[in-house]
Amino acid sequence: LSSSSAASDVYKRQGQKELTLNNGNEYVRVRGVVRPEDVSATNIISSNRLADAQIRYTGTGQIADSSKQGWLSELMRTVSPF
């Protein structure tokens, strides 16, 4: 978890969780703005205290590859938008 001062009373925070599943890596990345009083003594921030939250889920390996469309699906989506 890293931080930088956005203003005198708020901080920008971001964090990442990495999971290794089925020969691939999955990442959950969270970024947002939080008030100093919402950060616990153990550096934990409740999700309902995070403003302007951006949550991104990405991955590599078998699980991520299986969620990608094949070439025929891509072609059909390009030719017919319905």
Side-chain angles (χ1 to χ4, degrees):
L1 191 65
S2 63
S3 67
S4 63
S5 179
S8 60
D9 58 346
V10 296
Y11 298 120
K12 289 184 178 180
R13 291 280 199 237
Q14 63 184 23
Q16 173 177 294
K17 176 78 173 181
E18 179 180 351
L19 305 164
T20 301
L21 303 168
N22 296 332
N23 300 320
N25 294 325
E26 306 293 318
Y27 303 94
V28 179
R29 294 182 175 110
V30 178
R31 177 183 293 174
V33 178
V34 66
R35 300 177 306 172
E37 59 266 26
D38 294 329
V39 181
S40 75
T42 57
N43 205 26
I44 295 174
I45 303 165
S46 179
S47 62
N48 64 352
R49 307 309 301 167
L50 193 64
D52 298 327
Q54 299 174 4
I55 302 169
R56 181 177 297 166
Y57 180 79
T58 60
T60 60
Q62 294 174 354
I63 294 175
D65 292 343
S66 67
S67 66
K68 294 179 183 173
Q69 289 186 344
W71 65 269
L72 183 58
S73 297
E74 285 287 333
L75 177 65
M76 294 303 290
R77 191 171 56 88
T78 302
V79 173
S80 176
F82 303 107

